[in-house]
Amino acid sequence: MAQKFRVVIVGGGIAGLALATRLGDSIGKSGRAEITLVDKSFAHVWKPMLHCFAAGTAANENDRISFLSQASRHHFEFWPGEISGMDRKAKTITLAQVIAPTGEVVLDERKLEYDALVLSIGSCANDFGTPGVAKHCLFIDNLVDASGFNDRFRTELLKAFGNNEQLDIAIVGGGATGTQLAAELHKALDLASLYSFGKKPPKLNITLLEAGPRILPAFPEAVSAAAQKELEAIGVSVKTSAMVSGADEKGFMLKDGTRIPATLRVWAAGVKAPEVTRKFGELKLSRSGQLEVRPTLQLVEDDSIFAMGDCAFIADKPVAPTAQAARQQAHHLARHLPAWINGRAVPPFKFSNKGAVVALGDYNGWGTFPGGKVFGGGWLRGISARMVHLMLYRQHQFEIYGPFRGMISCLVDWLDVFVRPSVRLD
């Protein structure tokens, strides 16, 4: 029996899971190819919601999509593991050991063979080599990080509550992630206070540090100003032009000599590709470690390897590392990879900007159309932008689950409001 064509997709984020699902339903289901998805986690979450998991306001298991369940329903295989190396000549990738929290080796190092490899390993915050950041700061680059931060947040919140003390949190990075996290943490405390039996909740002191002249630099200045005003109204201290020079176990140091005390220190600044891209051999990388690809999303050096999403850099026409770009690239490859397997060329990818949206919890929200026109804010407190944010999430659920299961998912979310607390308490 002839060996099926093997497509290995590394990374189960927005792009990776969408591509695995679509290819599984087409060439996987028909038996034309064997589709394998690799990810270090066992569940997928919509990355623009990571700040909600970090704050504990999205604890519903329905917001996590099991890779194993998705694979069984959509005709692809799932392998847990984190890519640690690649042999382009042998057409294999190496997966690192899977180690339990107890230190036990669950799975040894393994190798996977491929005929076509798609790298969708996302991105992480960039500490720019700032002293102390790697050792003393928390990150929320993925679900594991977000869950770890939430554990620390709840622990420190309990200490502050029990000792009647203030909890100081400092977040570096005034982009969408840091800005939304600051608002979501305040929302979490507001919700938790509903379950405190009348006791006064601890004071939460959040400082948002941005090295540039304004927060949300990807949005128009009007949105930046309105967002800063909203954050300050709920008690967040916003400091712009605040360059961090170092971090320790007690807080951050700024270049002007100012010290920002913080029990919890979060780094959400900058974007770079995971360090593993530098272990793939002689591949052309961008300054931030992204894999350089042609407009077809194929590596400059290898036609059988594709890269998409935040880890890919199209030198001819760079695309910002956003969820919508990753999704469009996944759709492009899902449409053209089946024909490429049969010898046809993949056409160049063309990005279509649909605008952007930012939602500050339930407090406010704004969006921009491709032409730069702003919507949201105003007397409705940004309900239009927050609804767009929710609709984008529902669109993602429908794409992954399908129409019927997508509707059931929405119904379960709605019913869940009446059963579970609206913030994670345990």
Side-chain angles (χ1 to χ4, degrees), residues 117-166:
L117 176 65
V118 183
L119 297 169
S120 181
I121 53 179
S123 62
C124 56
N126 190 349
D127 65 8
F128 305 103
T130 307
V133 170
K135 181 178 180 181
H136 298 292
C137 293
L138 297 163
F139 298 81
I140 54 170
D141 295 324
N142 51 56
L143 179 58
V144 175
D145 289 347
S147 298
F149 172 84
N150 182 253
D151 289 340
R152 285 286 309 276
F153 174 60
R154 287 183 293 109
T155 298
E156 296 300 334
L157 200 58
L158 179 60
K159 287 181 183 178
F161 189 92
N163 299 324
N164 194 28
E165 296 175 343
Q166 175 176 289

mmCIF file of all heavy atoms in Angstrom, residues 117-166:
data_model
loop_
_atom_site.group_PDB
_atom_site.id
_atom_site.type_symbol
_atom_site.label_atom_id
_atom_site.label_comp_id
_atom_site.label_asym_id
_atom_site.label_seq_id
_atom_site.Cartn_x
_atom_site.Cartn_y
_atom_site.Cartn_z
ATOM 1 N N LEU A 117 5.423 20.514 5.468
ATOM 2 C CA LEU A 117 5.439 20.995 6.851
ATOM 3 C C LEU A 117 4.914 22.423 6.879
ATOM 4 O O LEU A 117 5.347 23.270 6.101
ATOM 5 C CB LEU A 117 6.871 20.943 7.397
ATOM 6 C CG LEU A 117 7.100 21.499 8.808
ATOM 7 C CD1 LEU A 117 6.359 20.657 9.842
ATOM 8 C CD2 LEU A 117 8.602 21.535 9.129
ATOM 9 N N VAL A 118 3.974 22.677 7.792
ATOM 10 C CA VAL A 118 3.424 24.026 7.965
ATOM 11 C C VAL A 118 3.731 24.471 9.386
ATOM 12 O O VAL A 118 3.269 23.860 10.351
ATOM 13 C CB VAL A 118 1.904 24.069 7.723
ATOM 14 C CG1 VAL A 118 1.401 25.507 7.836
ATOM 15 C CG2 VAL A 118 1.551 23.490 6.358
ATOM 16 N N LEU A 119 4.510 25.536 9.515
ATOM 17 C CA LEU A 119 4.883 26.062 10.820
ATOM 18 C C LEU A 119 3.964 27.224 11.186
ATOM 19 O O LEU A 119 3.880 28.215 10.467
ATOM 20 C CB LEU A 119 6.337 26.526 10.806
ATOM 21 C CG LEU A 119 7.364 25.411 10.549
ATOM 22 C CD1 LEU A 119 8.741 25.992 10.285
ATOM 23 C CD2 LEU A 119 7.415 24.437 11.723
ATOM 24 N N SER A 120 3.262 27.056 12.297
ATOM 25 C CA SER A 120 2.332 28.086 12.777
ATOM 26 C C SER A 120 2.512 28.198 14.291
ATOM 27 O O SER A 120 1.580 27.978 15.061
ATOM 28 C CB SER A 120 0.895 27.704 12.419
ATOM 29 O OG SER A 120 -0.012 28.682 12.846
ATOM 30 N N ILE A 121 3.729 28.520 14.694
ATOM 31 C CA ILE A 121 4.106 28.455 16.112
ATOM 32 C C ILE A 121 3.942 29.783 16.843
ATOM 33 O O ILE A 121 4.382 29.925 17.982
ATOM 34 C CB ILE A 121 5.550 27.935 16.271
ATOM 35 C CG1 ILE A 121 6.529 28.737 15.420
ATOM 36 C CG2 ILE A 121 5.623 26.462 15.881
ATOM 37 C CD1 ILE A 121 7.973 28.291 15.535
ATOM 38 N N GLY A 122 3.291 30.736 16.198
ATOM 39 C CA GLY A 122 2.909 31.960 16.879
ATOM 40 C C GLY A 122 4.064 32.872 17.226
ATOM 41 O O GLY A 122 5.103 32.892 16.565
ATOM 42 N N SER A 123 3.870 33.629 18.296
ATOM 43 C CA SER A 123 4.857 34.617 18.723
ATOM 44 C C SER A 123 4.845 34.701 20.238
ATOM 45 O O SER A 123 4.011 34.086 20.911
ATOM 46 C CB SER A 123 4.541 35.990 18.121
ATOM 47 O OG SER A 123 3.269 36.442 18.575
ATOM 48 N N CYS A 124 5.760 35.464 20.782
ATOM 49 C CA CYS A 124 5.806 35.691 22.222
ATOM 50 C C CYS A 124 6.258 37.124 22.469
ATOM 51 O O CYS A 124 6.713 37.812 21.557
ATOM 52 C CB CYS A 124 6.737 34.692 22.907
ATOM 53 S SG CYS A 124 8.428 34.676 22.273
ATOM 54 N N ALA A 125 6.113 37.571 23.700
ATOM 55 C CA ALA A 125 6.546 38.924 24.048
ATOM 56 C C ALA A 125 8.063 39.017 23.919
ATOM 57 O O ALA A 125 8.781 38.027 24.067
ATOM 58 C CB ALA A 125 6.106 39.258 25.468
ATOM 59 N N ASN A 126 8.541 40.205 23.635
ATOM 60 C CA ASN A 126 9.967 40.440 23.430
ATOM 61 C C ASN A 126 10.498 41.299 24.580
ATOM 62 O O ASN A 126 10.120 42.465 24.715
ATOM 63 C CB ASN A 126 10.186 41.152 22.094
ATOM 64 C CG ASN A 126 11.639 41.208 21.690
ATOM 65 O OD1 ASN A 126 12.538 40.908 22.480
ATOM 66 N ND2 ASN A 126 11.888 41.573 20.451
ATOM 67 N N ASP A 127 11.379 40.718 25.414
ATOM 68 C CA ASP A 127 11.898 41.488 26.544
ATOM 69 C C ASP A 127 13.108 42.340 26.168
ATOM 70 O O ASP A 127 13.643 43.078 27.006
ATOM 71 C CB ASP A 127 12.239 40.573 27.723
ATOM 72 C CG ASP A 127 13.383 39.606 27.425
ATOM 73 O OD1 ASP A 127 14.027 39.744 26.362
ATOM 74 O OD2 ASP A 127 13.624 38.712 28.252
ATOM 75 N N PHE A 128 13.551 42.239 24.920
ATOM 76 C CA PHE A 128 14.653 43.046 24.386
ATOM 77 C C PHE A 128 15.920 42.941 25.246
ATOM 78 O O PHE A 128 16.731 43.866 25.286
ATOM 79 C CB PHE A 128 14.236 44.520 24.261
ATOM 80 C CG PHE A 128 12.999 44.735 23.446
ATOM 81 C CD1 PHE A 128 11.782 44.997 24.058
ATOM 82 C CD2 PHE A 128 13.028 44.631 22.059
ATOM 83 C CE1 PHE A 128 10.623 45.182 23.323
ATOM 84 C CE2 PHE A 128 11.869 44.817 21.308
ATOM 85 C CZ PHE A 128 10.670 45.096 21.935
ATOM 86 N N GLY A 129 16.050 41.818 25.952
ATOM 87 C CA GLY A 129 17.232 41.618 26.783
ATOM 88 C C GLY A 129 17.252 42.470 28.041
ATOM 89 O O GLY A 129 18.314 42.619 28.677
ATOM 90 N N THR A 130 16.128 43.025 28.445
ATOM 91 C CA THR A 130 16.068 43.870 29.638
ATOM 92 C C THR A 130 16.421 43.062 30.886
ATOM 93 O O THR A 130 15.813 42.014 31.136
ATOM 94 C CB THR A 130 14.660 44.476 29.801
ATOM 95 O OG1 THR A 130 14.279 45.130 28.585
ATOM 96 C CG2 THR A 130 14.625 45.471 30.943
ATOM 97 N N PRO A 131 17.379 43.495 31.687
ATOM 98 C CA PRO A 131 17.823 42.733 32.858
ATOM 99 C C PRO A 131 16.686 42.402 33.824
ATOM 100 O O PRO A 131 15.882 43.267 34.176
ATOM 101 C CB PRO A 131 18.850 43.669 33.524
ATOM 102 C CG PRO A 131 19.345 44.542 32.414
ATOM 103 C CD PRO A 131 18.163 44.733 31.505
ATOM 104 N N GLY A 132 16.630 41.144 34.231
ATOM 105 C CA GLY A 132 15.680 40.710 35.245
ATOM 106 C C GLY A 132 14.307 40.328 34.749
ATOM 107 O O GLY A 132 13.532 39.707 35.486
ATOM 108 N N VAL A 133 13.981 40.667 33.516
ATOM 109 C CA VAL A 133 12.622 40.416 33.027
ATOM 110 C C VAL A 133 12.325 38.920 32.926
ATOM 111 O O VAL A 133 11.293 38.437 33.405
ATOM 112 C CB VAL A 133 12.397 41.105 31.663
ATOM 113 C CG1 VAL A 133 11.075 40.642 31.040
ATOM 114 C CG2 VAL A 133 12.389 42.612 31.835
ATOM 115 N N ALA A 134 13.213 38.161 32.302
ATOM 116 C CA ALA A 134 12.985 36.726 32.125
ATOM 117 C C ALA A 134 12.825 36.003 33.465
ATOM 118 O O ALA A 134 12.044 35.054 33.582
ATOM 119 C CB ALA A 134 14.139 36.109 31.326
ATOM 120 N N LYS A 135 13.533 36.451 34.465
ATOM 121 C CA LYS A 135 13.514 35.780 35.774
ATOM 122 C C LYS A 135 12.357 36.229 36.650
ATOM 123 O O LYS A 135 11.773 35.419 37.382
ATOM 124 C CB LYS A 135 14.839 36.030 36.494
ATOM 125 C CG LYS A 135 14.942 35.346 37.856
ATOM 126 C CD LYS A 135 16.300 35.607 38.496
ATOM 127 C CE LYS A 135 16.399 34.914 39.864
ATOM 128 N NZ LYS A 135 17.705 35.170 40.507
ATOM 129 N N HIS A 136 11.999 37.499 36.598
ATOM 130 C CA HIS A 136 11.072 38.050 37.588
ATOM 131 C C HIS A 136 9.698 38.429 37.043
ATOM 132 O O HIS A 136 8.860 38.911 37.810
ATOM 133 C CB HIS A 136 11.697 39.279 38.249
ATOM 134 C CG HIS A 136 12.962 38.990 38.992
ATOM 135 N ND1 HIS A 136 12.994 38.237 40.146
ATOM 136 C CD2 HIS A 136 14.256 39.345 38.732
ATOM 137 C CE1 HIS A 136 14.239 38.140 40.580
ATOM 138 N NE2 HIS A 136 15.024 38.799 39.739
ATOM 139 N N CYS A 137 9.468 38.243 35.752
ATOM 140 C CA CYS A 137 8.179 38.657 35.173
ATOM 141 C C CYS A 137 7.349 37.473 34.707
ATOM 142 O O CYS A 137 7.872 36.403 34.385
ATOM 143 C CB CYS A 137 8.407 39.609 34.000
ATOM 144 S SG CYS A 137 9.094 41.195 34.501
ATOM 145 N N LEU A 138 6.059 37.690 34.675
ATOM 146 C CA LEU A 138 5.111 36.723 34.137
ATOM 147 C C LEU A 138 4.750 37.135 32.714
ATOM 148 O O LEU A 138 4.736 38.325 32.376
ATOM 149 C CB LEU A 138 3.852 36.667 34.997
ATOM 150 C CG LEU A 138 4.061 36.199 36.444
ATOM 151 C CD1 LEU A 138 2.865 36.577 37.304
ATOM 152 C CD2 LEU A 138 4.286 34.697 36.491
ATOM 153 N N PHE A 139 4.423 36.138 31.884
ATOM 154 C CA PHE A 139 4.037 36.385 30.499
ATOM 155 C C PHE A 139 2.676 35.729 30.262
ATOM 156 O O PHE A 139 2.281 34.810 30.995
ATOM 157 C CB PHE A 139 5.071 35.799 29.530
ATOM 158 C CG PHE A 139 6.446 36.409 29.668
ATOM 159 C CD1 PHE A 139 7.314 35.986 30.663
ATOM 160 C CD2 PHE A 139 6.868 37.407 28.799
ATOM 161 C CE1 PHE A 139 8.578 36.548 30.805
ATOM 162 C CE2 PHE A 139 8.127 37.976 28.926
ATOM 163 C CZ PHE A 139 8.982 37.542 29.929
ATOM 164 N N ILE A 140 1.975 36.178 29.244
ATOM 165 C CA ILE A 140 0.696 35.538 28.888
ATOM 166 C C ILE A 140 0.677 35.274 27.385
ATOM 167 O O ILE A 140 -0.261 35.633 26.685
ATOM 168 C CB ILE A 140 -0.525 36.371 29.343
ATOM 169 C CG1 ILE A 140 -0.456 37.806 28.812
ATOM 170 C CG2 ILE A 140 -0.667 36.380 30.851
ATOM 171 C CD1 ILE A 140 -1.752 38.574 29.032
ATOM 172 N N ASP A 141 1.714 34.595 26.914
ATOM 173 C CA ASP A 141 1.845 34.323 25.482
ATOM 174 C C ASP A 141 0.965 33.175 25.008
ATOM 175 O O ASP A 141 0.699 33.047 23.811
ATOM 176 C CB ASP A 141 3.302 34.000 25.150
ATOM 177 C CG ASP A 141 4.220 35.193 25.380
ATOM 178 O OD1 ASP A 141 3.776 36.323 25.121
ATOM 179 O OD2 ASP A 141 5.364 34.987 25.815
ATOM 180 N N ASN A 142 0.536 32.304 25.924
ATOM 181 C CA ASN A 142 -0.264 31.140 25.556
ATOM 182 C C ASN A 142 -1.152 30.748 26.726
ATOM 183 O O ASN A 142 -1.112 31.390 27.795
ATOM 184 C CB ASN A 142 0.649 29.973 25.132
ATOM 185 C CG ASN A 142 1.738 29.706 26.165
ATOM 186 O OD1 ASN A 142 1.460 29.478 27.332
ATOM 187 N ND2 ASN A 142 2.995 29.760 25.737
ATOM 188 N N LEU A 143 -1.943 29.683 26.543
ATOM 189 C CA LEU A 143 -2.889 29.268 27.581
ATOM 190 C C LEU A 143 -2.179 28.839 28.852
ATOM 191 O O LEU A 143 -2.642 29.126 29.960
ATOM 192 C CB LEU A 143 -3.769 28.136 27.048
ATOM 193 C CG LEU A 143 -4.804 27.568 28.026
ATOM 194 C CD1 LEU A 143 -5.748 28.663 28.506
ATOM 195 C CD2 LEU A 143 -5.588 26.428 27.379
ATOM 196 N N VAL A 144 -1.039 28.157 28.716
ATOM 197 C CA VAL A 144 -0.284 27.720 29.896
ATOM 198 C C VAL A 144 0.165 28.940 30.708
ATOM 199 O O VAL A 144 0.016 28.977 31.935
ATOM 200 C CB VAL A 144 0.935 26.875 29.479
ATOM 201 C CG1 VAL A 144 1.794 26.527 30.694
ATOM 202 C CG2 VAL A 144 0.475 25.583 28.786
ATOM 203 N N ASP A 145 0.695 29.950 30.019
ATOM 204 C CA ASP A 145 1.121 31.178 30.700
ATOM 205 C C ASP A 145 -0.059 31.884 31.360
ATOM 206 O O ASP A 145 0.035 32.343 32.509
ATOM 207 C CB ASP A 145 1.772 32.143 29.700
ATOM 208 C CG ASP A 145 3.127 31.673 29.221
ATOM 209 O OD1 ASP A 145 3.691 30.742 29.831
ATOM 210 O OD2 ASP A 145 3.619 32.235 28.220
ATOM 211 N N ALA A 146 -1.160 31.995 30.619
ATOM 212 C CA ALA A 146 -2.334 32.707 31.140
ATOM 213 C C ALA A 146 -2.891 32.010 32.378
ATOM 214 O O ALA A 146 -3.258 32.668 33.364
ATOM 215 C CB ALA A 146 -3.405 32.804 30.059
ATOM 216 N N SER A 147 -2.943 30.670 32.351
ATOM 217 C CA SER A 147 -3.443 29.920 33.501
ATOM 218 C C SER A 147 -2.500 30.067 34.695
ATOM 219 O O SER A 147 -2.940 30.193 35.841
ATOM 220 C CB SER A 147 -3.602 28.437 33.136
ATOM 221 O OG SER A 147 -4.545 28.276 32.090
ATOM 222 N N GLY A 148 -1.190 30.068 34.411
ATOM 223 C CA GLY A 148 -0.217 30.254 35.475
ATOM 224 C C GLY A 148 -0.335 31.625 36.118
ATOM 225 O O GLY A 148 -0.251 31.763 37.349
ATOM 226 N N PHE A 149 -0.547 32.652 35.295
ATOM 227 C CA PHE A 149 -0.731 33.992 35.846
ATOM 228 C C PHE A 149 -1.983 34.044 36.701
ATOM 229 O O PHE A 149 -1.989 34.646 37.778
ATOM 230 C CB PHE A 149 -0.838 35.030 34.725
ATOM 231 C CG PHE A 149 -1.210 36.401 35.235
ATOM 232 C CD1 PHE A 149 -0.247 37.259 35.733
ATOM 233 C CD2 PHE A 149 -2.541 36.810 35.252
ATOM 234 C CE1 PHE A 149 -0.589 38.512 36.239
ATOM 235 C CE2 PHE A 149 -2.893 38.051 35.759
ATOM 236 C CZ PHE A 149 -1.911 38.901 36.248
ATOM 237 N N ASN A 150 -3.070 33.411 36.250
ATOM 238 C CA ASN A 150 -4.308 33.456 37.012
ATOM 239 C C ASN A 150 -4.150 32.792 38.379
ATOM 240 O O ASN A 150 -4.692 33.269 39.379
ATOM 241 C CB ASN A 150 -5.448 32.782 36.237
ATOM 242 C CG ASN A 150 -6.770 32.850 36.970
ATOM 243 O OD1 ASN A 150 -7.254 31.863 37.498
ATOM 244 N ND2 ASN A 150 -7.351 34.042 37.016
ATOM 245 N N ASP A 151 -3.386 31.699 38.427
ATOM 246 C CA ASP A 151 -3.117 31.049 39.714
ATOM 247 C C ASP A 151 -2.418 32.019 40.666
ATOM 248 O O ASP A 151 -2.776 32.128 41.841
ATOM 249 C CB ASP A 151 -2.258 29.799 39.512
ATOM 250 C CG ASP A 151 -3.019 28.661 38.837
ATOM 251 O OD1 ASP A 151 -4.264 28.690 38.870
ATOM 252 O OD2 ASP A 151 -2.369 27.763 38.272
ATOM 253 N N ARG A 152 -1.395 32.723 40.146
ATOM 254 C CA ARG A 152 -0.672 33.690 40.969
ATOM 255 C C ARG A 152 -1.577 34.854 41.378
ATOM 256 O O ARG A 152 -1.534 35.331 42.520
ATOM 257 C CB ARG A 152 0.543 34.225 40.202
ATOM 258 C CG ARG A 152 1.710 33.272 40.094
ATOM 259 C CD ARG A 152 2.472 33.131 41.406
ATOM 260 N NE ARG A 152 2.851 34.423 41.975
ATOM 261 C CZ ARG A 152 3.943 35.109 41.632
ATOM 262 N NH1 ARG A 152 4.767 34.603 40.704
ATOM 263 N NH2 ARG A 152 4.220 36.255 42.193
ATOM 264 N N PHE A 153 -2.387 35.324 40.445
ATOM 265 C CA PHE A 153 -3.280 36.453 40.710
ATOM 266 C C PHE A 153 -4.253 36.116 41.830
ATOM 267 O O PHE A 153 -4.434 36.901 42.781
ATOM 268 C CB PHE A 153 -4.034 36.817 39.430
ATOM 269 C CG PHE A 153 -5.091 37.885 39.607
ATOM 270 C CD1 PHE A 153 -4.754 39.149 40.064
ATOM 271 C CD2 PHE A 153 -6.425 37.615 39.283
ATOM 272 C CE1 PHE A 153 -5.729 40.135 40.225
ATOM 273 C CE2 PHE A 153 -7.394 38.594 39.436
ATOM 274 C CZ PHE A 153 -7.049 39.852 39.912
ATOM 275 N N ARG A 154 -4.868 34.934 41.761
ATOM 276 C CA ARG A 154 -5.826 34.550 42.794
ATOM 277 C C ARG A 154 -5.144 34.361 44.149
ATOM 278 O O ARG A 154 -5.702 34.724 45.197
ATOM 279 C CB ARG A 154 -6.574 33.287 42.377
ATOM 280 C CG ARG A 154 -7.591 33.526 41.267
ATOM 281 C CD ARG A 154 -8.379 32.297 40.890
ATOM 282 N NE ARG A 154 -7.545 31.281 40.255
ATOM 283 C CZ ARG A 154 -7.194 30.141 40.809
ATOM 284 N NH1 ARG A 154 -7.609 29.851 42.038
ATOM 285 N NH2 ARG A 154 -6.452 29.267 40.159
ATOM 286 N N THR A 155 -3.931 33.813 44.141
ATOM 287 C CA THR A 155 -3.188 33.624 45.387
ATOM 288 C C THR A 155 -2.861 34.960 46.039
ATOM 289 O O THR A 155 -3.079 35.160 47.250
ATOM 290 C CB THR A 155 -1.884 32.850 45.122
ATOM 291 O OG1 THR A 155 -2.196 31.555 44.615
ATOM 292 C CG2 THR A 155 -1.068 32.699 46.405
ATOM 293 N N GLU A 156 -2.341 35.898 45.251
ATOM 294 C CA GLU A 156 -1.973 37.203 45.793
ATOM 295 C C GLU A 156 -3.207 38.004 46.193
ATOM 296 O O GLU A 156 -3.172 38.778 47.156
ATOM 297 C CB GLU A 156 -1.135 37.985 44.780
ATOM 298 C CG GLU A 156 0.209 37.361 44.452
ATOM 299 C CD GLU A 156 1.113 37.217 45.670
ATOM 300 O OE1 GLU A 156 0.942 37.998 46.639
ATOM 301 O OE2 GLU A 156 1.979 36.323 45.666
ATOM 302 N N LEU A 157 -4.297 37.819 45.477
ATOM 303 C CA LEU A 157 -5.544 38.508 45.817
ATOM 304 C C LEU A 157 -6.072 38.007 47.159
ATOM 305 O O LEU A 157 -6.557 38.787 47.991
ATOM 306 C CB LEU A 157 -6.583 38.283 44.715
ATOM 307 C CG LEU A 157 -7.752 39.269 44.629
ATOM 308 C CD1 LEU A 157 -7.244 40.695 44.430
ATOM 309 C CD2 LEU A 157 -8.686 38.881 43.495
ATOM 310 N N LEU A 158 -5.964 36.699 47.395
ATOM 311 C CA LEU A 158 -6.394 36.120 48.673
ATOM 312 C C LEU A 158 -5.540 36.655 49.822
ATOM 313 O O LEU A 158 -6.055 36.990 50.894
ATOM 314 C CB LEU A 158 -6.299 34.593 48.613
ATOM 315 C CG LEU A 158 -6.706 33.840 49.887
ATOM 316 C CD1 LEU A 158 -8.160 34.149 50.247
ATOM 317 C CD2 LEU A 158 -6.510 32.335 49.707
ATOM 318 N N LYS A 159 -4.231 36.752 49.600
ATOM 319 C CA LYS A 159 -3.345 37.314 50.625
ATOM 320 C C LYS A 159 -3.741 38.752 50.951
ATOM 321 O O LYS A 159 -3.814 39.144 52.121
ATOM 322 C CB LYS A 159 -1.893 37.295 50.143
ATOM 323 C CG LYS A 159 -1.245 35.930 50.107
ATOM 324 C CD LYS A 159 0.199 36.076 49.630
ATOM 325 C CE LYS A 159 0.885 34.727 49.495
ATOM 326 N NZ LYS A 159 2.278 34.889 48.984
ATOM 327 N N ALA A 160 -3.970 39.537 49.896
ATOM 328 C CA ALA A 160 -4.340 40.930 50.097
ATOM 329 C C ALA A 160 -5.676 41.051 50.825
ATOM 330 O O ALA A 160 -5.858 41.910 51.703
ATOM 331 C CB ALA A 160 -4.401 41.652 48.750
ATOM 332 N N PHE A 161 -6.610 40.170 50.490
ATOM 333 C CA PHE A 161 -7.931 40.173 51.118
ATOM 334 C C PHE A 161 -7.811 39.814 52.599
ATOM 335 O O PHE A 161 -8.374 40.484 53.464
ATOM 336 C CB PHE A 161 -8.840 39.182 50.398
ATOM 337 C CG PHE A 161 -10.285 39.256 50.823
ATOM 338 C CD1 PHE A 161 -11.173 40.074 50.145
ATOM 339 C CD2 PHE A 161 -10.750 38.507 51.893
ATOM 340 C CE1 PHE A 161 -12.509 40.150 50.531
ATOM 341 C CE2 PHE A 161 -12.082 38.577 52.294
ATOM 342 C CZ PHE A 161 -12.954 39.403 51.608
ATOM 343 N N GLY A 162 -7.048 38.743 52.870
ATOM 344 C CA GLY A 162 -6.915 38.270 54.250
ATOM 345 C C GLY A 162 -6.139 39.218 55.138
ATOM 346 O O GLY A 162 -6.423 39.341 56.339
ATOM 347 N N ASN A 163 -5.159 39.907 54.569
ATOM 348 C CA ASN A 163 -4.316 40.813 55.357
ATOM 349 C C ASN A 163 -4.737 42.271 55.248
ATOM 350 O O ASN A 163 -4.053 43.145 55.778
ATOM 351 C CB ASN A 163 -2.853 40.678 54.905
ATOM 352 C CG ASN A 163 -2.314 39.277 55.119
ATOM 353 O OD1 ASN A 163 -2.656 38.615 56.091
ATOM 354 N ND2 ASN A 163 -1.473 38.829 54.193
ATOM 355 N N ASN A 164 -5.843 42.497 54.534
ATOM 356 C CA ASN A 164 -6.350 43.858 54.331
ATOM 357 C C ASN A 164 -5.264 44.761 53.753
ATOM 358 O O ASN A 164 -5.015 45.874 54.232
ATOM 359 C CB ASN A 164 -6.878 44.433 55.653
ATOM 360 C CG ASN A 164 -7.721 45.687 55.438
ATOM 361 O OD1 ASN A 164 -8.342 45.853 54.387
ATOM 362 N ND2 ASN A 164 -7.722 46.558 56.432
ATOM 363 N N GLU A 165 -4.615 44.269 52.701
ATOM 364 C CA GLU A 165 -3.519 44.997 52.063
ATOM 365 C C GLU A 165 -3.868 45.326 50.616
ATOM 366 O O GLU A 165 -4.793 44.763 50.033
ATOM 367 C CB GLU A 165 -2.232 44.162 52.092
ATOM 368 C CG GLU A 165 -1.704 43.880 53.481
ATOM 369 C CD GLU A 165 -0.503 42.957 53.462
ATOM 370 O OE1 GLU A 165 -0.279 42.295 52.427
ATOM 371 O OE2 GLU A 165 0.199 42.889 54.487
ATOM 372 N N GLN A 166 -3.097 46.213 50.046
ATOM 373 C CA GLN A 166 -3.228 46.576 48.641
ATOM 374 C C GLN A 166 -2.434 45.611 47.788
ATOM 375 O O GLN A 166 -1.353 45.174 48.173
ATOM 376 C CB GLN A 166 -2.714 48.001 48.436
ATOM 377 C CG GLN A 166 -2.682 48.467 46.998
ATOM 378 C CD GLN A 166 -2.244 49.909 46.893
ATOM 379 O OE1 GLN A 166 -2.989 50.816 47.266
ATOM 380 N NE2 GLN A 166 -1.042 50.143 46.399
#
